[in-house]
Amino acid sequence: MTEPPGTAVSVTDAPPRSDTPSKPLAAQRVLPLRRPGRWIATAVVLVLAAQFVHGLATNQFYQWDRFGYWFLRPTVLDGLLITLEVTAYSAVLGLLGGILLALARLSKSPVLRAVSWTYVWALRSIPLIVVLLFLYNFSALYKTLSIGVPFGPAFFSFDESRLATDMVIAVIGLSLNEAAYAAEVVRGGILSVDQGQHEAASALGLPKGYQFRRIVFPQALRSITPNYVNQLIGLIKSTSLVFYVSLLDLFGTVQSMGATYPGDIVPLLLVATVWYLILTSAVSVVQFYVERHYARGATRSLPPTPLQKLRASLTDLRARIRRETAI
């Protein structure tokens, strides 16, 4: 409001002046919003984690000395080797079968689509242990197998029980089950490829097989890899069921040793647990680098590795300390 002419403005009406100079904007600290709930939750989780670790270290029932005795025993390592063999064979055969089933599901032939859908539906519905036990007793249904003219004379015949060893039964059973799940993973990855890629490849006049091998499938791998690695981790754990077809893998070895040494059941189970954790962790590391490799065509910058994240965190911490010291 404007004062009328001749009116003097009192000194007390002027805004107060501070004798202390204000800090420059660069030196002013922005205090973060306090979140007491987050700190309370963090403290509770840390206390629970500390109690869990303390219980593992001090509870005599775990028998860590016996755990160290069994961890690298040749019997356990032989079972671990069988687990790795069954997993490797089943993963490769399951993925190949899944690719064939996915292509049949995407084909224009109604017969191939129906057969593929029926196979996936049946194998995903039947428990894996039932498949393994059925294959284990397969010789009771078909004592001999033959190769020849369909519905005609046979050229070669052989005894099924001689070929169907415990390893073969385990690999076939796991591969059949894995192929059903891998088919859906591969089919989803192929469908995730942009339709423009198919149209561009067709416009160039490239053969269908070349389109799939060089254009479609490499791009689909970006979506297939994380999902199939999850399947692979499940496959590693599923190998524990081959114990029921008389194949002593890691879990089967632990079970048999536990029956022989009843006092060491807990440390033997811990041995199996730690080895399964090591295997799945190794697969997860491989998954990270495979995903990083196939991300080159989809992202502007590759995701940082754990070592790069650690270096960046240390650099940020040093810069923050320097800023705090300067302020």
Side-chain angles (χ1 to χ4, degrees), residues 128-139 141-142 169 245:
L128 177 57
I129 183 64
V130 175
V131 176
L132 290 172
L133 291 176
F134 184 83
L135 291 175
Y136 189 67
N137 296 281
F138 192 73
S139 59
L141 298 175
Y142 302 96
I169 290 174
V245 294

Side-chain angles (χ1 to χ4, degrees), residues 69-83:
Y69 170 79
W70 286 109
F71 188 70
L72 294 176
R73 295 294 294 174
T75 305
V76 175
L77 295 180
D78 290 341
L80 176 64
L81 181 61
I82 292 177
T83 295

Side-chain angles (χ1 to χ4, degrees), residues 34-303:
R34 298 184 182 277
R35 300 182 184 273
R38 180 187 300 174
W39 287 102
I40 293 173
T42 303
V44 170
V45 170
L46 289 176
V47 169
L48 293 177
Q51 286 183 330
F52 177 74
V53 174
H54 181 266
L56 287 178
T58 59
N59 193 337
Q60 299 298 324
F61 188 70
Y62 288 112
Q63 306 178 58
W64 290 109
D65 55 336
R66 301 299 296 169
F67 169 86
Y69 170 79
W70 286 109
F71 188 70
L72 294 176
R73 295 294 294 174
T75 305
V76 175
L77 295 180
D78 290 341
L80 176 64
L81 181 61
I82 292 177
T83 295
L84 293 175
E85 289 179 358
V86 172
T87 301
Y89 293 144
S90 303
V92 173
L93 295 176
L95 180 59
L96 293 177
I99 293 174
L100 294 178
L101 288 170
L103 294 177
R105 185 80 181 275
L106 296 173
S107 108
K108 296 181 179 179
S109 170
V111 176
L112 293 179
R113 290 201 305 269
V115 170
S116 175
W117 182 88
T118 304
Y119 179 93
V120 173
W121 166 74
L123 267 295
R124 290 200 303 178
S125 303
I126 302 174
L128 177 57
I129 183 64
V130 175
V131 176
L132 290 172
L133 291 176
F134 184 83
L135 291 175
Y136 189 67
N137 296 281
F138 192 73
S139 59
L141 298 175
Y142 302 96
K143 297 184 180 299
T144 59
L145 298 178
S146 59
I147 299 176
V149 179
F151 308 105
F155 299 145
F156 303 100
S157 297
F158 45 87
D159 189 358
E160 189 271 340
S161 60
R162 294 182 179 179
L163 295 178
T165 62
D166 297 338
M167 174 67 77
V168 171
I169 290 174
V171 171
I172 291 177
L174 289 172
S175 300
L176 292 175
N177 184 78
E178 190 69 13
Y181 292 93
E184 292 300 287
V185 171
V186 173
R187 186 173 71 92
I190 294 174
L191 293 176
S192 68
V193 179
D194 188 77
Q195 189 63 28
Q197 299 291 321
H198 298 269
E199 296 173 355
S202 300
L204 292 174
L206 300 176
K208 289 291 184 182
Y210 187 85
Q211 291 180 30
F212 178 76
R213 292 193 312 270
R214 304 293 295 178
I215 297 175
V216 176
F217 195 64
Q219 297 182 61
L221 280 175
R222 188 169 60 249
S223 174
I224 292 172
T225 299
N227 296 318
Y228 189 69
V229 170
N230 289 333
Q231 285 295 121
L232 187 58
I233 292 174
L235 176 62
I236 293 175
K237 296 183 291 184
S238 297
T239 55
S240 60
L241 295 176
V242 302
F243 169 70
Y244 295 98
V245 294
S246 303
L247 187 62
L248 290 181
D249 66 322
L250 176 61
F251 179 74
T253 302
V254 166
Q255 284 285 87
S256 61
M257 289 297 102
T260 308
Y261 302 93
D264 290 349
I265 292 178
V266 172
L268 282 168
L269 290 176
L270 287 174
V271 167
T273 301
V274 171
W275 274 120
Y276 281 122
L277 286 173
I278 292 173
L279 294 179
T280 54
S281 300
V283 172
S284 300
V285 171
V286 174
Q287 173 189 4
F288 172 80
Y289 284 99
V290 172
E291 288 183 6
R292 191 171 184 269
H293 172 76
Y294 284 106
R296 292 180 301 177
T299 57
R300 296 184 180 273
S301 59
L302 293 178

